[in-house]
Amino acid sequence: LGGCETGLDLLFVLDSSGSVGSGNFDTMKNFVANVIANFEIRANSTRVGLIRFSSTASILIPLGSINNAQQLTTDVNNVAFTAGGTRTDLALDLVSTAFINARVNEGIP
């Protein structure tokens, strides 16, 4: 994104429920990897995080915790499909937590 001088936070939320299936889950991971490839991943540029949910939800990659595009792509590709229920509500609750944690880590109240 030429000329953009402000940072960008990208937080991906992946549905790993049984109704999605492992093939579609892999498609989602490929999408995330393709999006990541279009940004400069750095602390002061683009920060990426990832939440996976099914019956439970987890922050697997805290926002801005990986500042290397290759490592980030590897970690995304290694996210396992878990099956289970579809607790989208738990994932959405974690979205605000992920952003709050990133701000606290930066020293912003």
Side-chain angles (χ1 to χ4, degrees):
L1 299 174
C4 183
E5 304 220 2
T6 60
L8 174 67
D9 290 337
L10 294 173
L11 184 61
F12 294 95
V13 179
L14 300 184
D15 182 349
S16 184
S17 62
S19 61
V20 168
S22 62
N24 287 327
F25 188 73
D26 287 341
T27 299
M28 283 187 274
K29 292 191 308 184
N30 289 334
F31 170 79
V32 171
N34 288 334
V35 170
I36 291 168
N38 288 293
F39 291 93
E40 184 176 341
I41 307 300
R42 290 193 334 227
N44 295 325
S45 185
T46 301
R47 302 183 310 170
V48 175
L50 187 136
I51 293 171
R52 177 189 62 199
F53 74 96
S54 60
S55 297
T56 62
S58 301
I59 298 173
L60 299 183
I61 302 174
L63 190 60
S65 64
I66 301 172
N67 293 317
N68 173 293
Q70 184 176 356
Q71 182 62 51
L72 187 57
T73 300
T74 298
D75 287 4
V76 167
N77 286 329
N78 287 334
V79 171
F81 175 70
T82 58
T86 309
R87 293 297 308 270
T88 309
D89 59 314
L90 298 177
L92 294 176
D93 286 342
L94 276 183
V95 168
S96 62
T97 300
F99 282 108
I100 289 168
N101 289 347
R103 290 177 57 90
V104 168
N105 292 338
E106 295 172 351
I108 301 170

